[in-house]
Amino acid sequence: MATQTSDLLAAAAPLTVDVVRGVADDQLDLPTPCRDYVVRDLLNHLFEVVVNFQALAVKRQVQWAEKPDHLGDGWRDRFAVETDRLVAAWSEPSTLEGVSPGMGMPQTVVGGMALLDLTVHGWDLAVATGQPYEPAPEAVAELHGLVERLGPTARRMGVFAEPTQVPTAGPADLAHLLSRTGRTPTWSR
């Protein structure tokens, strides 16, 4: 990635942490733009991403099949702590070298995937729970190339849906990025 991954994560993480902190307990069963996920499911997924991508930064394999419930007592504060650990894990320059043994992709791509999840799922949670969200512009700009690169495989694997149409979106804005992941940028519950 052109800008250091840790710098982009450091810019994006607090914005998503703020959204997570703003999720009320009575909003956990609300729908989200992510098909098949309510807010609770998406929070658990994002928690799992934040924890597992710490291990991926140091080239350890992770288990995605385990689906623990991370939303016990103090989960908002724990999410903030784990997100700080994610940023710190990717700040070591060697994290970007080589290929991830767990993912089989260049480490630069793996770090970008963590950034993509923080940014896009930050938006997903914000719109699902009626919160404002303005992503880090430098992250959005960087993620367009990653989504272009991952798009065909991600669609085949069911991670992205087919791109949606956004007639008013510019090529480098959030709406365009969301549409390329198969989201409808005007989604509302």
Side-chain angles (χ1 to χ4, degrees):
M1 300 183 84
T3 303
Q4 185 69 19
T5 298
S6 62
D7 293 340
L8 294 169
L9 286 168
L15 304 170
T16 300
V17 168
D18 286 347
V19 171
V20 168
R21 285 189 186 280
V23 175
D25 290 342
D26 65 354
Q27 295 178 314
L28 295 176
D29 293 319
L30 293 176
T32 71
C34 296
R35 62 178 181 242
D36 304 325
Y37 279 13
V38 296
V39 170
R40 173 188 318 279
D41 301 328
L42 187 54
L43 285 165
N44 273 307
H45 167 72
L46 191 53
F47 219 121
E48 186 176 22
V49 164
V50 167
V51 170
N52 283 347
F53 275 82
Q54 292 172 41
L56 291 169
V58 293
K59 300 176 182 86
R60 288 196 323 249
Q61 294 205 17
V62 297
Q63 294 297 319
W64 291 102
E66 296 177 20
K67 301 293 182 204
D69 184 2
H70 295 282
L71 305 186
D73 289 340
W75 62 268
R76 291 169 186 87
D77 291 335
R78 280 187 291 105
F79 181 80
V81 168
E82 294 298 344
T83 303
D84 286 344
R85 289 179 178 156
L86 173 73
V87 173
W90 285 92
S91 67
E92 176 61 41
S94 65
T95 61
L96 298 175
E97 297 171 0
V99 173
S100 168
M103 302 285 277
M105 299 179 200
Q107 281 289 104
T108 54
V109 172
V110 174
M113 291 169 67
L115 178 65
L116 181 64
D117 272 24
L118 276 178
T119 302
V120 173
H121 291 324
W123 176 84
D124 292 330
L125 289 167
V127 297
T129 59
Q131 297 182 63
Y133 178 71
E134 194 65 42
E138 60 270 41
V140 172
E142 192 70 36
L143 288 170
H144 283 282
L146 181 68
V147 169
E148 180 72 27
R149 180 177 179 179
L150 296 177
T153 301
R155 282 188 279 284
R156 265 194 315 278
M157 294 176 67
V159 176
F160 292 173
E162 288 300 317
T164 60
Q165 295 297 316
V166 184
T168 61
D173 69 9
L174 177 62
H176 188 70
L177 178 69
L178 295 170
S179 71
R180 293 171 71 200
T181 67
R183 287 165 172 75
T184 302
T186 57
W187 185 92
S188 68
R189 53 185 162 96

